Amino acid sequence: MRDSALTHSSLVRFAQGGAERARSLLAAAVLLGVMGFLAPERMIQLGLVTAAVVLMLLGLVLVLTARSARAKRDLTLNLVADFIEKDSSPSFVCSDDGEIMRANRAARQAFGTLRGETLAGALRNTFANPGGILFRLKAQAELDGAAREDIVTRKGQMRLAVHQMEEGRLLWRLEATPDTGQGRGSDGPALPMIMLGRNQAVLFMNEPARTLIGKRVKSLDALFQSTPLYGALNRLDTESGPVDVMLTRIDAGAGRTAVYMLPPADAAPASGWATFEDLPVPLVRFSRDGKVLDFNRTAADLIGSGLVKDANLSDLMEGLGRPIADWLEETVSGRAVQQSEFLRLTRSDIETFVQVALNCMVHDGEETIVAVLADATELKTLEAQFVQSQKMQAIGQLAGGVAHDFNNLLTAISGHCDLLLLRHDQGDTNYSDLMQINQNANRAASLVGQLLAFSRKQTLRPEELDLRDTMADLTHLLNRLVGVKVQLTLTHDPMLKPIRADKRQLEQVVMNLVVNARDAMPDGGEIKIETECMTLARPLERDRVTVPTGEYVCLRVIDEGVGIPTDKAQKVFEPFYTTKRTGEGTGLGLSTAYGIVKQTGGFIFVDSTVGQGTCFSIMFPIFEESAPKEQAAPRETPVSATERGDGVILLVEDEAPVRAFASRALRLRGYTVLEADCAETALKTLEDNNLNVDLFVTDVVMPGKDGPSWVREALKDRPDVRVIFVSGYAEDKVNDHRDSIPNSVFLPKPFSLNDLAETVHSQLH
C-alpha cells in the first residue's frame, strides 16, 4: 500500500505537466528496447525489454490521464464561463499565477482581447497598483475562501471580488459601486487629492492632484522632503517648483487614507470659498480678531447652531487655558509654537472636543485665518478615561497610606483621651473638654473610613440582607436627616429577594444619597426610595460599564431637586468633587458610596434632568444561596471599666504613642505587658524559655518583619499562644495569613480603650 502511494489525484497533477513528460517516457522506453535487442546476454536483454514495456505502459497511462484531466478542467471552465458569460460586470477565471483562462463578454468589451494576458496586465489602466491589490486579495481568499475590496479610481469607485475554485483557480469579478464623493475626478471637489495605502504608497491621484504635481509618483517621499504634518503648511515638490500646501487626511477604509491638499494663500481657487462648501473637512474662516467670516457645511454640522457669521471664535470654543485672541495674534505674526490645539465646543446638547489647526491666508486682499477642524471627542474621551483611572488609582493608594498614618495618630489621641477620662468624672471641669476631643477624634476616624471606602480598602462584614428590613430600620434616622420640609416615601417590591452586603456600609450609602437629595431641594419636596427585582436577559452597557446578565435588586433614590448638568454628572463620583460652597461638604459622599457599592459587587448609575430632579440607581446581585456564617470571635459581655484580668501579653507596635497607650490600658486592667518596638525585639524576648506568654498583640505592617511573619515563627515553639492583629489598613492585609495562624483575630485601628480590653478579654477567656 505504501509503495502504491501515487494516488489518482497525485497522478492527475503529475499528468497535468503536459505530453512532454509522456513523450520522454516513451522515448526512454524505445531506447531501452533497442538496447535490449542489442544486448549480448539474454538476461540483460530480458531486463531491458521489461523496463521498456513498463515505461511505455506508464507513458500511455500518463497520456490518457492528462487527456482526462484536461477534458475535466475544460468542462469545469466551460461551465463557469457559461455561468458568468451574461454577467453585466467583468468577470475572469484565472490560474494561480494570474493568467486569464476565461473572461465573460463584459470583460472582453471593457478590456479587449485577453488571450495570453495576466489579470494584473489587464487592469493596469484601471488601478494604480493592480499587482499589490491582486496579491492582497488572493492571500485573503486563500485563508477565507473569498475576499473583496472597494477601490477608488479616477473613473469612480470599483469593487474587486475574488472566489477560490478547485485546483488553485480563482474567479475574479469587477463591478462599479456607488461613489461616496471621495476622490472623484471632474465631478468631485476641485481640490487635489491622493490616496495612500498602508505603507504610504500612492495608490491614486485625482486630476487636480495630477495638474498640481505635474507627474505620477509612487510614494509620499517623492512629494515631501520630510514627514508631512497634517493640519499645517507643508512644502510640496512639483514639476514647476516647490509649493506650500496645507494637508488634511480622511480615513478611506481598508487601510487607505485620502489626503487633501488645500491650495496655498497666494493660489486660492478662482471660485473662492464656495470651493470648500462640499469638502468633507470642517473649515472655518475668520478675521484676525476672531470674527467668523465663512464656514462650510461640515463645520456647521460639527459646531452646531452657534456657528453663524460674525460669531466670535471664543464663544464657540473653550479650554485653551489662555485668551483665544492671543493664540490668533501669535498665528498671524508667525510666533505660534503649536500648529494645533485641542478645544471643547460650547454646544450644550453634547460634549464635543475638536482639534483646531490655524493657518493664515489672503482673501480679497485681506489677511484672514482658516481653521481646519477634526472631531477629537473619541480621542479626548479615551484620554480622560486613562487620566481618570490613573488619578483614581493614585488617590486610592494615597488614601490607603494616609488612612494608615491617620489611624495610628487617632488611636493615640483617642486612647490617651480615654485614659484621661478614667481619672475625671462628669462633674469635673475638664470632662467636657475631654469629651470634645474624643468626639472629634471619632469624627476624624469616620472621615478616614470614607477615604478607605472610596479606595475600596475598608473591611466589609457582608451578610444576607432584606432591603425592606434594612430600610425599615433606617427610616427613623432618615426622617430626622431630611427635616420637616421634605417628605420621605418608601416603596418596596413585594417579591423582593435578598442580597449580600455589609449592613452598616449600605446604610451609609443610603444616608449619603438621601442627604444629597435633601440638599438639592432647598424649598422642600419629596424623596422616593424604591426597591424592585429586575432580570437582565442581555448585558446592560452603560457609562462605560457592562452589567452581566442575571437577577438584580435595584435600589433607587429619587428627588425633585435642581438636577445635575450633563457635564457635571460625569464627575459626581470623583473624590473631593462637590458643587456645594466651601465648608458645606467634603466631596467624599458619592465617591464613598461608589467605593462601597463596587466593593460589594454592585453597580451605581445617575440620571438627572436640570430643573426636574435626579435618580441614583444601585443594582445589587441577588444572593442565591445562604453561605455559612463566619464564626465571629467569642465575645462575652462588655468589660466594665473596673473589671480586671490576668495574664502575660507581648505587645509589639512600632508606633511609640500607640504602644504607650495600649500598654498603659492593659496594665490598668491588671495584665502583665511586655513591650517590643519591632518583630526582631519580640523574637529576642521570646528566646527566654522560662518566660510564659499568654497573648501576642501585634501590628501587621512594621519595618523589617511584618506581624504575621514573626508570629508564625514564634508559634513554632509556643503553639498555644493566642494572637490579636491590629492595623490601620484593612483586614484583607492579614486575611491571607490568618488561615495559617490559629486562634487569631483582627482589631482595626483606631480602637478605644474598651475595644482593646474587650478583645483581649475575649481572646484570653
Side-chain angles (χ1 to χ4, degrees):
M1 291 297 292
R2 191 173 297 275
D3 293 336
S4 60
L6 189 62
T7 61
H8 174 69
S9 60
S10 61
L11 187 62
V12 170
R13 286 194 298 272
F14 181 76
Q16 287 175 348
E20 189 171 346
R21 291 194 185 95
R23 286 196 296 269
S24 298
L25 288 175
L26 292 175
V30 172
L31 179 62
L32 289 175
V34 172
M35 292 174 62
F37 284 114
L38 297 178
E41 296 184 7
R42 182 171 180 81
M43 290 299 296
I44 297 177
Q45 290 180 353
L46 183 60
L48 291 175
V49 170
T50 303
V53 172
V54 171
L55 288 178
M56 185 168 293
L57 291 175
L58 183 59
L60 291 175
V61 170
L62 288 178
V63 170
L64 294 176
T65 304
R67 288 181 178 179
S68 175
R70 186 162 52 249
K72 181 180 178 182
R73 183 188 63 186
D74 292 341
L75 177 62
T76 303
L77 287 176
N78 290 334
L79 290 174
V80 174
D82 292 340
F83 180 76
I84 65 175
E85 180 65 24
K86 296 182 180 180
D87 191 352
S88 59
S89 298
S91 301
F92 311 86
V93 177
C94 300
S95 64
D96 185 65
D97 57 3
E99 181 182 356
I100 298 176
M101 305 175 68
R102 294 286 191 277
N104 67 351
R105 182 188 307 167
R108 295 192 297 272
Q109 291 175 351
F111 300 98
T113 178
L114 298 169
R115 182 170 299 175
E117 267 197 89
T118 63
L119 185 59
L123 299 178
R124 63 183 178 275
N125 294 325
T126 304
F127 303 131
N129 182 25
I133 298 172
L134 296 177
F135 177 79
R136 183 167 61 247
L137 289 175
K138 177 186 173 185
Q140 188 66 33
E142 289 175 351
L143 294 175
D144 302 332
R148 68 176 185 179
E149 186 173 324
D150 293 338
I151 306 164
V152 179
T153 71
R154 77 183 75 180
K155 299 179 182 178
Q157 187 162 299
M158 308 293 291
R159 175 172 294 170
L160 183 62
V162 60
H163 296 268
Q164 197 168 31
M165 300 172 59
E166 294 180 354
E167 299 176 5
R169 292 189 294 269
L170 299 168
L171 173 61
W172 298 86
R173 188 171 185 271
L174 184 67
E175 63 175 326
T177 60
D179 205 336
T180 60
Q182 296 181 6
R184 292 197 304 251
S186 58
D187 298 333
L191 283 176
M193 188 275 292
I194 58 176
M195 187 69 68
L196 300 179
R198 288 188 176 90
N199 57 354
Q200 301 299 298
V202 177
L203 305 179
F204 167 74
M205 299 167 58
N206 67 356
E207 291 301 328
R210 291 173 185 270
T211 303
L212 176 63
I213 299 171
K215 60 182 178 180
R216 279 288 297 270
V217 294
K218 295 184 178 180
S219 68
L220 202 60
D221 297 339
L223 296 176
F224 303 97
Q225 297 179 359
S226 59
T227 303
L229 298 174
Y230 296 99
L233 286 177
N234 295 266
R235 182 60 57 90
L236 173 69
D237 293 331
T238 68
E239 286 289 290
S240 57
V243 175
D244 287 334
V245 295
M246 186 169 62
L247 299 183
T248 185
R249 58 183 173 182
I250 298 176
D251 185 13
R256 302 186 302 273
T257 304
V259 178
Y260 288 89
M261 294 175 281
L262 278 65
D266 57 352
S271 56
W273 184 263
T275 305
F276 302 96
E277 184 64 29
D278 295 324
L279 186 68
V281 178
L283 296 173
V284 181
R285 186 173 67 89
F286 45 89
S287 61
R288 297 182 57 166
D289 59 356
K291 186 178 293 184
V292 175
L293 301 176
D294 289 296
F295 54 88
N296 63 359
R297 273 197 292 267
T298 311
D301 294 338
L302 177 62
I303 299 178
S305 59
L307 181 60
V308 295
K309 286 192 175 183
D310 297 333
N312 198 285
L313 185 66
S314 58
D315 297 330
L316 301 175
M317 305 173 190
E318 62 184 9
L320 185 62
R322 57 192 175 103
I324 290 183
D326 293 351
W327 185 33
L328 301 180
E329 182 61 31
E330 291 174 0
T331 302
V332 173
S333 61
R335 294 183 290 106
V337 178
Q338 280 189 264
Q339 295 288 344
S340 63
E341 295 281 359
F342 287 93
L343 301 176
R344 180 182 180 274
L345 297 181
T346 56
R347 57 189 300 175
S348 58
D349 55 338
I350 186 174
E351 188 174 42
T352 305
F353 292 90
V354 291
Q355 184 180 12
V356 185
L358 301 183
N359 296 273
C360 296
M361 67 176 293
V362 178
H363 185 76
D364 295 335
E366 179 185 0
E367 190 173 29
T368 58
I369 302 174
V370 174
V372 182
L373 283 71
D375 190 347
T377 304
E378 184 175 356
L379 175 64
K380 295 298 289 184
T381 300
L382 291 174
E383 181 185 2
Q385 291 178 15
F386 175 75
V387 172
Q388 177 69 4
S389 65
Q390 293 292 308
K391 181 172 66 175
M392 298 288 270
Q393 181 181 4
I395 294 179
Q397 293 175 348
L398 176 64
V402 168
H404 171 259
D405 294 336
F406 264 94
N407 281 331
N408 277 326
L409 295 173
L410 293 172
T411 301
I413 293 171
S414 61
H416 285 91
C417 185
D418 287 342
L419 292 174
L420 287 172
L421 286 171
L422 291 177
R423 301 199 298 268
H424 295 77
D425 55 27
Q426 296 185 7
D428 197 316
T429 55
N430 295 326
Y431 185 83
S432 59
D433 296 333
L434 292 173
M435 287 301 299
Q436 283 293 327
I437 296 174
N438 189 272
Q439 291 173 6
N440 283 281
N442 291 334
R443 288 181 59 191
S446 176
L447 185 61
V448 173
Q450 289 188 25
L451 281 173
L452 287 173
F454 152 70
S455 61
R456 305 185 210 171
K457 294 180 179 179
Q458 85 280 34
T459 301
L460 293 183
R461 306 289 184 184
E463 58 182 302
E464 185 176 343
L465 297 178
D466 188 321
L467 282 182
R468 291 171 293 190
D469 298 335
T470 304
M471 293 299 103
D473 296 340
L474 196 59
T475 301
H476 179 67
L477 178 58
L478 293 178
N479 281 321
R480 292 181 58 188
L481 285 174
V482 300
V484 294
K485 293 195 297 184
V486 176
Q487 179 183 357
L488 187 66
T489 305
L490 275 73
T491 306
H492 296 297
D493 187 334
M495 303 300 293
L496 202 63
K497 295 184 178 180
I499 63 171
R500 183 170 172 80
D502 186 315
K503 183 177 180 180
R504 180 175 56 86
Q505 301 285 0
L506 179 59
E507 290 174 347
Q508 182 180 354
V509 171
V510 176
M511 283 192 291
N512 285 340
L513 296 179
V514 170
V515 168
N516 282 341
R518 177 203 64 189
D519 295 341
M521 300 186 298
D523 298 327
E526 182 182 14
I527 299 176
K528 297 179 181 178
I529 299 179
E530 301 176 351
T531 60
E532 70 166 338
C533 286
M534 58 188 305
T535 302
L536 294 181
R538 61 183 61 184
L540 172 65
E541 295 184 1
R542 179 179 173 184
D543 299 343
R544 304 191 295 270
V545 173
T546 300
V547 183
T549 58
E551 291 186 290
Y552 294 86
V553 172
C554 184
L555 171 67
R556 297 187 184 92
V557 179
I558 308 169
D559 65 61
E560 301 171 343
V562 295
I564 307 172
T566 304
D567 57 336
K568 294 181 179 179
Q570 303 172 1
K571 304 177 182 178
V572 295
F573 296 117
E574 294 183 11
F576 310 112
Y577 177 81
T578 178
T579 57
K580 299 176 182 178
R581 291 179 297 181
T582 303
E584 292 185 356
T586 62
L588 284 173
L590 289 178
S591 62
T592 299
Y594 177 86
I596 294 172
V597 171
K598 297 303 290 184
Q599 191 175 6
T600 306
F603 302 86
I604 183 168
F605 305 105
V606 57
D607 299 284
S608 185
T609 304
V610 176
Q612 297 184 17
T614 304
C615 174
F616 283 91
S617 303
I618 307 175
M619 298 174 60
F620 293 106
I622 287 178
F623 181 56
E624 297 291 348
E625 299 179 0
S626 296
K629 295 186 178 180
E630 298 180 0
Q631 294 294 328
R635 292 206 175 201
E636 300 178 3
T637 56
V639 183
S640 67
T642 59
E643 187 172 350
R644 300 180 61 82
D646 57 355
V648 179
I649 300 174
L650 177 58
L651 174 64
V652 186
E653 171 63 62
D654 60 311
E655 289 286 339
V658 177
R659 188 172 66 251
F661 150 66
S663 63
R664 285 186 58 191
L666 293 174
R667 288 191 178 103
L668 286 174
R669 291 294 189 272
Y671 298 106
T672 301
V673 180
L674 306 175
E675 297 183 34
D677 59 355
C678 62
E680 289 75 12
T681 303
L683 291 174
K684 190 171 184 62
T685 301
L686 294 175
E687 289 178 359
D688 184 359
N689 295 327
N690 296 322
L691 180 64
N692 181 33
V693 178
D694 302 302
L695 179 66
F696 296 151
V697 178
T698 177
D699 195 4
V700 174
V701 179
M702 295 182 295
K705 289 186 178 181
D706 59 15
S709 298
W710 83 261
V711 167
R712 265 197 301 269
E713 188 173 339
L715 289 179
K716 293 178 181 178
D717 297 326
R718 302 171 184 267
D720 298 328
V721 179
R722 293 180 173 269
V723 185
I724 297 177
F725 289 108
V726 296
S727 178
Y729 290 108
E731 187 176 0
D732 58 3
K733 287 281 185 180
V734 74
N735 271 344
D736 295 337
H737 306 281
R738 280 178 49 195
D739 293 339
S740 59
I741 300 176
N743 302 320
S744 62
V745 295
F746 180 77
L747 177 63
K749 296 178 182 178
F751 51 81
S752 66
L753 188 151
N754 281 337
D755 292 335
L756 178 61
E758 288 178 19
T759 308
V760 169
H761 182 79
S762 299
Q763 278 293 81
L764 291 177
H765 298 85

